[in-house]
Amino acid sequence: MNFQYQYPEAFWLLLLVPLLLLLYGAYLLWQKRTTKRIGDERLVAALTKSHSILKSRVKFLLFLFAFALGCLALANPRQPDDDSAEIRKGIDVVIALDVSNSMMATDVSPNRLTQAQKLLTSLIDKMPNDRIALVVFAGNAYTQMPLSTDHEAAKLFVSTANPGTVPEQGTAVADALLQSNAAFEEGSQRFKTIILVTDGETHDEDALPTAQELAKKGVMVNTVGLGSPAGATIIDTISGGAKKDENGVVVISKLNEQLLQQVAEATNGTYVHLEAIGSALANLLEQYKNVDKKALVDTSGLSYESFYWWLLLPMFLFLLFELFLPDRKKFTQ
């Protein structure tokens, strides 16, 4: 791997070098003009005959060199240790998790969202070499976590997802698919898949066409449906009772299996109805069993060898030399 600087922004400090040169030049000009104002040049020469102009300038240059080396040391030149890089062969997985209010329905115990979170936590543990991203959606979709091999962070984001994460309610499946696709690295050759976890309760007419477009790009969408076709009431977080619409009618949230089956079929994926976590997990993992898994160099645990000491040592030597170098002539007449 290539030589690099950990803090390249420190290079901006090098812009002070020409500024210091200008200030030093201005000081010399001021010194010359002040000498002329004194009057008698011979008297000034006699008073300053022990002062060495050359040594004064050398002292300034030593300080300037030390300052420049300090800036480079602050940038921390370093080289990665190739042996500490971990090679992972896996795929890129974007989890699109529905956090709309309907996911709080209790036809799945204790509710749809909690059951989905349990499944996804187990799934992440079973995909140690894969990169995971998380998109949450309701009326809109948002990327909660970009592609990463940090699976502990992925599980944390999944476990804390809730209806309050997304301000606008609804079930925007098309938007969730587009946002998930945007999480993939452009030009990456790794296998790309989206796991759409939702009750599918939507009238989103763009969902299926969006899935068909993703299929053309080689993205597989596996769908996980929660709830029952018969539906269930939604717990109102404010009143604690069944949620009602503006007309006072109790809201019934139903699983839309047809849409989820169509989305999965359009992308050569599979539809899983989440009833038992074990069987749902096995069905999802089976989909990725034979896909082509590309190697990825994981640099998250990469160690580096720093070389700033090679710059600090001459910097201190320059400063010491400047400190002890007298600005007087060795011999005076």
Side-chain angles (χ1 to χ4, degrees):
M1 293 187 181
N2 296 329
F3 187 82
Q4 59 181 246
Y5 289 90
Q6 185 178 5
Y7 307 111
E9 58 271 16
F11 290 137
W12 287 103
L13 292 173
L14 291 173
L15 293 177
L16 293 175
V17 173
L19 178 61
L20 291 172
L21 282 170
L22 287 173
L23 291 174
Y24 186 68
Y27 167 74
L28 293 178
L29 183 61
W30 171 84
Q31 191 179 55
K32 186 175 181 180
R33 288 177 178 175
T34 303
T35 301
K36 286 184 178 181
R37 289 197 197 100
I38 293 176
D40 193 335
E41 294 184 5
R42 287 180 296 177
L43 176 61
V44 172
L47 292 173
T48 60
K49 64 180 181 179
S50 64
H51 179 72
S52 173
I53 296 176
L54 177 61
K55 287 184 177 180
S56 293
R57 293 180 181 177
V58 169
K59 283 171 67 69
F60 174 74
L61 289 176
L62 288 172
F63 168 77
L64 207 60
F65 285 141
F67 177 80
L69 288 171
C71 294
L72 294 176
L74 190 61
N76 191 23
R78 62 182 188 172
Q79 189 169 14
D81 180 8
D82 291 346
D83 293 335
S84 66
E86 187 175 355
I87 306 297
R88 296 173 182 261
K89 284 190 175 182
I91 61 177
D92 287 344
V93 182
V94 179
I95 297 169
L97 176 60
D98 185 354
V99 292
S100 60
N101 285 332
S102 62
M103 290 290 285
M104 302 306 293
T106 56
D107 49 357
V108 175
S109 179
N111 57 60
R112 297 173 182 175
L113 180 58
T114 300
Q115 191 74 346
Q117 290 168 327
K118 290 179 181 178
L119 169 68
L120 294 175
T121 298
S122 299
L123 181 66
I124 293 170
D125 285 334
K126 294 292 185 179
M127 307 181 85
N129 295 319
D130 303 319
R131 291 194 298 180
I132 307 290
L134 176 65
V135 169
V136 295
F137 70 98
N140 296 103
Y142 300 91
T143 300
Q144 286 288 92
M145 176 180 167
L147 283 171
S148 173
T149 55
D150 189 347
H151 290 183
E152 291 305 313
K155 289 192 290 185
L156 177 63
F157 277 113
V158 166
S159 65
T160 56
N162 60 80
T165 308
V166 181
E168 185 176 341
Q169 284 302 308
T171 309
V173 172
D175 193 27
L177 293 175
L178 290 173
Q179 190 70 22
S180 298
N181 184 58
F184 294 120
E185 289 182 356
E186 190 173 349
S188 173
Q189 298 301 308
R190 287 164 68 88
F191 182 81
K192 303 176 181 67
T193 181
I194 298 170
I195 300 177
L196 178 68
V197 185
T198 177
D199 53 26
E201 189 178 40
T202 180
H203 300 290
D204 191 346
E205 296 179 355
D206 294 328
L208 184 55
T210 300
Q212 292 168 341
E213 287 299 315
L214 293 183
K216 294 176 183 178
K217 298 177 182 180
V219 178
M220 174 191 288
V221 180
N222 291 313
T223 58
V224 178
L226 294 106
S228 64
T233 57
I234 305 170
I235 300 299
D236 192 319
T237 55
I238 298 177
S239 67
K243 189 176 182 63
K244 298 179 180 180
D245 62 18
E246 55 187 14
N247 297 318
V249 178
V250 174
V251 175
I252 302 296
S253 175
K254 299 179 180 181
L255 169 64
N256 187 350
E257 282 192 303
Q258 183 179 4
L259 174 64
L260 298 182
Q261 290 169 343
Q262 290 173 338
V263 167
E265 185 179 349
T267 60
N268 294 316
T270 188
Y271 165 70
V272 176
H273 183 204
L274 180 52
E275 293 177 303
I277 289 179
S279 59
L281 184 63
N283 287 336
L284 287 172
L285 292 174
E286 183 66 25
Q287 284 293 103
Y288 306 127
K289 187 176 180 180
N290 298 315
V291 299
D292 185 20
K293 299 185 177 182
K294 302 289 184 181
L296 173 76
V297 179
D298 179 16
T299 59
S300 60
L302 201 61
S303 61
Y304 295 85
E305 181 182 3
S306 294
F307 299 99
Y308 64 91
W309 279 108
W310 292 91
L311 297 167
L312 288 180
L313 182 60
M315 183 194 79
F316 285 126
L317 290 176
F318 278 137
L319 288 175
L320 285 173
F321 194 26
E322 188 274 338
L323 181 64
F324 291 105
L325 178 67
D327 57 0
R328 294 176 174 272
K329 294 178 181 178
K330 190 173 183 181
F331 301 103
T332 59
Q333 298 180 351

